Amino acid sequence: MLALASSTFHLDPLIYDLGLILCSAGVAALIFKRLKQPLVLGYLIAGFLAGSKFDYFPTVTDIKSVKVWAEIGIIFLLFSLGLEFSFKKLLKVGGTASVTAGTQIGGMLVLGYLCGTALGWKTMDSIFLAAMLAVSSTTIILKTFEELGVKTRRFAVNVLGSLIVQDILAIIILVLLSTIAVTQSISGIALVTVIVKLVFFLTLWFITGIFFIPSLLRYAGKLITEEMLLIIAIALCLVMVILAANVGFSPALGAFVMGSIIAETTKAEQIEHLLKPVKDLFGAVFFVSVGMLIDPVTLQHYAIPVLILTLVTIFGQSILATAGSLLSGMPLKQSVQSGVSFSQIGEFSFIIATLGASLGVTSEFLYPIIVAVSAVTTFTTPYLIKSGDRVALFAERILPRKWIKNIERYSANAQSIRAQNDWHILLRKYFLHIALHASIIVAIVLLSEKFILPFAKDNSSLRFVVALGTLFAIAPFIYALGWHKTSEIQVQNLLNNKRYRGPIVMMVLFRFMLCVLLVGFLIDHFFSTLFAIILLGVFISLYLLFPRKLKSQYAKIERHFIHNLNEREIYMRNRSRSDLTPWDGHMTSFEIDPASDISGKTLEILKLRELFGVNIAYIKRADFVIPTPDKNEKLFPADEIFIIGTDEQIQRFSKFLEDHEVHPASTIADPDISLNQFVLKNETFIGKSIRDSKIREETSGIIVGIERRGNRTFNPESDMILEKNDILWIVGNRRKLIDMIESYRE
């Protein structure tokens, strides 16, 4: 009986190990929270203490189970990351963040590979090392920003946008590394194939997910409890993980994609809130498991490489990110602040290291070296971000004055938000239109061939029925690809110029020929020549007899997709603007709380400009916008006020609003509001005050900045006299600004 009791209450190693890991992580979290250090560093140290390399602490016994939990942790980390960074956010990031991230990652890939080669490591170790050093840690940066309270500062906007681009590039790097590890070579054709395949599946998954998942959550909204919502979200994540693995991609990619899709739904914030404990649990297990691989003997033997790679990471990341920010048009101060924020490696480096170890293509010493570099750079990150202002001032002192002037001039020109020309808009929409619809058509054909055609086997009649059904399924998208009008305004503007008529006609013919090729793609996968001719006749007849029906069907599909895509934005109540940014200023919106005691007061009474130095660009009330409101305009509950100011001004203003129960909103772009600059050359406005120039009335906008002989005035007073060669920065209605500038230049 005693033996039976003993066996009954014997703890499985799985439970023992999990308890040990969580206890170690919990103690480490408390200690490092007290020390105001990143928790990730505490988890790494806890993992080292619980690992087999440290003999003075209870040790984890079943490493295989821990690795499984760690893989689950990676999935939830990437899923949560996708919830924060949606596809639409990526499209809104713009050139600044893209140039910053591209310069940083490209430079670090080269620098990392050269370091590995200089240390005498084999080629595959050097390639994986380059990838590990190239990507900064989103988790560490976000947590540090929150702890330091700098998320609302201008440079943080560039950093967060760059992190979105970095994470996408890191996913692509993971896919490419998997291919390189298997083939043991870098083939240009293979590289292009992988990228095309990745773009195809990302497009397909995004379109399908947006079409169905928001509708599912919307229709089942009244039936779904929080518990059910969490289960559904995790289930969707794992389904996408399985799909990604089945087509040859990393499971982490599937988790990230599903997170990005759910981020477009109205349930995104709720799911993110529900998922946080799960993510934190398995994320802690992941980082602890990484810490278990720290080997003091290996680190002692490779102390010099660890020191070298740490210095390369800190200085290389900072300098390259600063250079990328400057290249993108950021001012020197903000570029330096952005640069020092990237001076670490983190979770993606561990994921890449895990990939190399699991595939058996990297040496055993590489993993603990990267963990050590990550631990050191994680520790230094908060101090470097804090020192950003001092480093920027130091850079301004040591750089030649001529360089500073050139940087300021370049920044001023690059940050002006000019109207896109017609060709730019047309080409962007044209290629996006082709990519989306071609991906859908190819996907429908391949799915039909793989899952439906096998039921027909050798029966020609059934094959014809399957092919005909597939043709009807792709018919609306064939119509849209070949005949649906896009960018009508731009096309009409360009047709007025004879030299553009030829290229536009060729673009139309290319779309038509692509339709024919895709129908041929369908025929080739289903039929012999005889049946191909018959099906082609059906195809032509279909488009001749039922053009309106096809147009109506496609319009219905498109409306459903657009509604789902914009659903979250429609219901978002808290929004902020930070994309209109002359110099150190940016635009942020705040929503007037119903209980706020500033409701019902006029702007003259509130004296926001006099007290805080900020301007109200416009007020969004229900479905209409009040541009540049005058002093008699009142603020009402649920109004969104869009404020322009510097970091310091908005910080003081935000404190004032907190005392009056007003809450800041999240980032969103508004295509109707634009920032433009132009230089005063003729006598139209020279010698007049800002008030007398009537620029406000003509553009439904306000002058938010003036640069005069190298000196800048942000939010100038209305009685300021305009002088020749002044550079004016104006926020207002995009079309009116363009019209005014064009007429002024004439």
Side-chain angles (χ1 to χ4, degrees):
M1 181 67 70
L2 184 60
L4 178 62
S6 176
S7 63
T8 302
F9 292 98
H10 175 70
L11 284 178
D12 188 278
L14 182 70
I15 300 176
Y16 172 82
D17 292 343
L18 181 60
L20 178 59
I21 289 173
L22 294 181
C23 286
S24 303
V27 172
L30 290 174
I31 294 174
F32 277 76
K33 186 68 175 178
R34 178 67 176 176
L35 297 175
K36 297 182 179 180
Q37 297 300 321
L39 297 183
V40 174
L41 182 58
Y43 292 150
L44 293 176
I45 295 176
F48 167 69
L49 297 177
S52 59
K53 310 298 182 181
F54 189 78
D55 298 330
Y56 306 100
F57 198 83
T59 302
V60 170
T61 57
D62 189 359
I63 300 297
K64 290 184 178 179
S65 297
V66 176
K67 287 183 178 179
V68 173
W69 291 334
E71 291 178 3
I72 297 174
I74 294 173
I75 289 173
F76 283 121
L77 280 173
L78 269 295
F79 182 50
S80 179
L81 191 63
L83 286 171
E84 296 178 9
F85 298 138
S86 67
F87 280 102
K88 286 182 68 177
K89 280 186 179 180
L90 177 62
L91 295 176
K92 294 175 183 177
V93 162
T96 301
S98 301
V99 172
T100 301
T103 303
Q104 177 195 353
I105 287 185
M108 286 304 297
L109 285 173
V110 174
L111 192 58
Y113 181 80
L114 293 177
C115 283
T117 304
L119 291 170
W121 296 351
K122 62 183 184 180
T123 301
M124 201 57 67
D125 285 337
S126 299
I127 291 174
F128 273 78
L129 173 67
M132 294 175 205
L133 297 183
V135 186
S136 300
S137 172
T138 300
T139 303
I140 294 170
I141 291 175
L142 289 178
K143 287 186 177 181
T144 304
F145 278 4
E146 289 176 359
E147 292 170 2
L148 298 179
V150 298
K151 288 185 71 173
T152 59
R153 298 189 64 179
R154 171 57 191 143
F155 80 91
V157 176
N158 182 45
V159 173
L160 297 177
S162 300
L163 288 174
I164 300 175
V165 181
Q166 274 201 22
D167 292 331
I168 293 294
L169 293 177
I171 293 293
I172 295 175
I173 289 173
L174 277 174
V175 175
L176 295 178
L177 287 177
S178 301
T179 304
I180 293 172
V182 172
T183 61
Q184 293 291 311
S185 63
I186 305 176
S187 168
I189 296 177
L191 187 65
V192 172
T193 302
V194 169
I195 294 176
V196 171
K197 181 181 177 183
L198 178 64
V199 172
F200 170 74
F201 279 105
L202 285 177
T203 303
L204 179 63
W205 288 335
F206 176 71
I207 293 173
T208 306
I210 292 298
F211 193 83
F212 291 106
I213 291 177
S215 300
L216 169 66
L217 296 178
R218 182 170 61 251
Y219 294 144
K222 295 182 179 179
L223 302 176
I224 297 178
T225 62
E226 287 193 344
E227 178 183 0
M228 293 171 61
L229 185 61
L230 177 61
I231 293 173
I232 290 173
I234 294 176
L236 290 172
C237 171
L238 296 181
V239 167
M240 187 58 77
V241 164
I242 295 170
L243 288 175
N246 285 339
V247 297
F249 294 136
S250 166
L253 173 63
F256 183 85
V257 169
M258 182 51 69
S260 299
I261 292 171
I262 294 179
E264 306 296 352
T265 69
T266 57
K267 300 290 185 181
E269 287 79 10
Q270 188 178 2
I271 291 174
E272 187 176 358
H273 173 73
L274 294 173
L275 187 71
K276 190 176 186 303
V278 181
K279 179 202 71 173
D280 291 342
L281 171 64
F282 286 102
V285 173
F286 168 67
F287 288 115
V288 170
S289 70
V290 171
M292 291 178 185
L293 298 174
I294 299 177
D295 186 354
V297 176
T298 302
L299 294 181
Q300 183 179 3
H301 183 68
Y302 290 97
I304 299 301
V306 169
L307 177 61
I308 293 173
L309 295 178
T310 299
L311 294 176
V312 167
T313 299
I314 292 175
F315 289 100
Q317 293 271 31
S318 299
I319 293 172
L320 287 168
T322 299
S325 298
L326 288 172
L327 188 62
S328 69
M330 295 281 287
L332 178 61
K333 179 181 178 181
Q334 294 170 12
S335 297
V336 173
Q337 291 172 324
S338 298
V340 296
S341 301
F342 291 104
S343 56
Q344 77 294 119
I345 57 175
E347 59 276 5
F348 261 116
S349 302
F350 301 150
I351 295 171
I352 293 170
T354 302
L355 175 66
S358 63
L359 294 175
V361 295
T362 56
S363 303
E364 293 183 358
F365 63 79
L366 191 57
Y367 204 130
I369 286 177
I370 287 301
V371 171
V373 173
S374 174
V376 176
T377 55
T378 298
F379 179 79
T380 59
T381 293
Y383 302 103
L384 288 170
I385 294 177
K386 285 181 182 178
S387 68
D389 292 337
R390 295 193 299 273
V391 175
L393 291 175
F394 176 74
E396 290 177 351
R397 285 199 303 268
I398 64 172
L399 290 177
R401 186 60 186 169
K402 183 178 180 180
W403 290 18
I404 300 293
K405 282 288 186 182
N406 289 335
I407 290 173
E408 290 177 351
R409 178 64 63 183
Y410 177 77
S411 172
N413 292 331
Q415 286 192 58
S416 62
I417 304 177
R418 301 180 180 89
Q420 296 174 313
N421 61 50
D422 291 325
W423 267 118
H424 187 182
I425 298 173
L426 175 61
L427 291 176
R428 186 185 64 182
K429 292 184 178 181
Y430 180 81
F431 288 112
L432 182 62
H433 182 82
I434 289 176
L436 292 177
H437 293 88
S439 297
I440 294 173
I441 293 167
V442 172
I444 292 174
V445 173
L446 294 178
L447 289 172
S448 178
E449 180 189 24
K450 184 174 180 62
F451 296 106
I452 302 177
L453 189 60
F455 291 102
K457 295 183 179 179
D458 297 328
N459 191 315
S460 299
S461 299
L462 285 179
R463 288 177 67 88
F464 182 79
V465 171
V466 172
L468 195 60
T470 306
L471 178 62
F472 277 102
I474 67 173
F477 304 104
I478 290 285
Y479 158 78
L481 178 60
W483 290 273
H484 185 63
K485 295 180 179 179
T486 59
S487 308
E488 293 185 55
I489 297 176
Q490 288 73 34
V491 170
Q492 189 60 46
N493 291 339
L494 292 170
L495 285 176
N496 293 331
N497 192 326
K498 292 183 179 180
R499 64 176 178 172
Y500 295 139
R501 293 176 184 175
I504 291 177
V505 171
M506 292 301 298
M507 292 170 68
V508 173
L509 290 176
F510 177 77
R511 286 173 56 178
F512 178 76
M513 293 302 299
L514 187 59
C515 291
V516 175
L517 288 175
L518 290 173
V519 173
F521 176 73
L522 165 65
I523 295 171
D524 180 65
H525 279 67
F526 283 80
F527 288 111
S528 62
T529 305
L530 177 61
F531 280 106
I533 295 173
I534 297 174
L535 193 66
L536 187 60
V538 174
F539 164 73
I540 295 173
S541 301
L542 186 67
Y543 282 90
L544 291 176
L545 297 175
F546 306 105
R548 291 186 179 180
K549 182 66 175 178
L550 291 173
K551 183 177 181 179
S552 173
Q553 185 65 26
Y554 175 76
K556 182 178 179 181
I557 295 172
E558 186 181 47
R559 282 195 302 270
H560 181 80
F561 178 82
I562 296 298
H563 179 267
N564 283 355
L565 184 64
N566 296 326
E567 184 180 31
R568 185 185 180 192
E569 288 188 8
I570 294 173
Y571 291 100
M572 280 176 61
R573 299 184 58 188
N574 299 321
R575 308 187 299 177
S576 89
R577 285 290 301 271
S578 57
D579 57 324
L580 304 181
T581 52
W583 312 310
D584 292 328
H586 61 286
M587 183 180 287
T588 301
S589 76
F590 298 87
E591 184 171 329
I592 306 299
D593 192 277
S596 174
D597 59 7
I598 71 173
S599 297
K601 294 182 179 179
T602 64
L603 298 181
E604 183 179 22
I605 293 175
L606 292 174
K607 297 184 181 300
L608 301 182
R609 179 179 176 82
E610 291 81 354
L611 293 175
F612 307 104
V614 298
N615 269 326
I616 296 184
Y618 62 100
I619 299 174
K620 194 172 189 303
R621 181 173 298 158
D623 295 328
F624 64 94
V625 172
I626 305 172
T628 58
D630 59 31
K631 62 182 181 180
N632 297 317
E633 188 65 50
K634 292 183 178 181
L635 298 180
F636 293 99
D639 277 357
E640 287 181 76
I641 55 174
F642 290 75
I643 303 296
I644 297 177
T646 64
D647 286 335
E648 294 76 13
Q649 290 169 345
I650 287 183
Q651 188 174 5
R652 294 197 305 269
F653 182 64
S654 179
K655 180 64 172 62
F656 167 77
L657 295 181
E658 288 176 3
D659 296 337
H660 294 266
E661 301 181 3
V662 182
H663 306 286
S666 60
T667 299
I668 190 170
D670 187 338
D672 295 328
I673 303 297
S674 178
L675 173 69
N676 276 267
Q677 68 161 358
F678 71 98
V679 182
L680 291 180
K681 290 293 185 182
N682 60 34
E683 303 299 325
T684 306
F685 301 121
I686 294 174
K688 297 181 180 179
S689 67
I690 294 176
R691 183 188 304 108
D692 295 336
S693 69
K694 304 297 181 182
I695 292 177
R696 179 190 185 103
E697 292 79 3
E698 189 173 346
T699 65
S700 297
I702 54 176
I703 297 177
V704 296
I706 296 179
E707 183 174 351
R708 178 178 297 169
R709 293 185 289 276
N711 297 317
R712 295 172 174 178
T713 303
F714 190 70
N715 285 339
E717 298 293 339
S718 60
D719 58 357
M720 184 174 182
I721 303 299
L722 301 176
E723 298 181 4
K724 188 175 182 179
N725 295 324
D726 281 354
I727 300 176
L728 304 186
W729 295 75
I730 307 175
V731 171
N733 180 274
R734 184 176 66 87
R735 178 49 57 187
K736 289 184 178 181
L737 282 173
I738 295 170
D739 293 341
M740 188 201 75
I741 293 173
E742 288 179 351
S743 62
Y744 175 80
R745 288 171 178 169
E746 292 174 357

